[in-house]
Amino acid sequence: MDMLDTIEMLEAIGSDASLRYASTVELTNVLEKAQASAAFTAAVASGDTSRLDQEFDGRKMYAPQAVQTFLASDPD
C-alpha cells in the first residue's frame, strides 16, 4: 500500500460511521483484511500516529483547523 492508498482508506474510515467509531481491534482487523500497510495498521493498533511518518515520507502532518483552539486572550 502506498501513501495514496492510505489516504483513500483514511477518507473511507472518516466517511463511514461504523469504521470511525469502531474499536481498535475491529479497525485493525478491517485494515488487515484490506491489506493496509504495516505502518498504517501498526499506527491504529498502537494509537501511535508517528508510525505513519514512514508512510508519508516523513512529512509533518498538522491537525485540521477544526480541532485547533485559541487562547481566551486572543481577539475575536
Side-chain angles (χ1 to χ4, degrees):
M1 212 176 196
D2 65 6
M3 179 175 61
L4 291 176
D5 292 333
T6 298
I7 291 171
E8 288 177 5
M9 189 157 289
L10 286 167
E11 288 175 353
I13 292 168
S15 65
D16 183 334
S18 68
L19 294 175
R20 196 170 51 244
Y21 297 109
S23 71
T24 301
V25 172
E26 292 169 329
L27 189 53
T28 300
N29 288 335
V30 167
L31 293 176
E32 288 172 349
K33 288 178 185 175
Q35 298 179 340
S37 71
F40 186 22
T41 305
V44 169
S46 69
D48 181 6
T49 58
S50 70
R51 293 177 183 247
L52 284 175
D53 288 348
Q54 68 189 52
E55 192 80 21
F56 294 110
D57 300 324
R59 295 181 196 150
K60 179 69 178 161
M61 298 295 146
Y62 297 96
Q65 288 181 341
V67 297
Q68 293 178 357
T69 59
F70 299 93
L71 297 174
S73 61
D74 285 347
D76 288 334

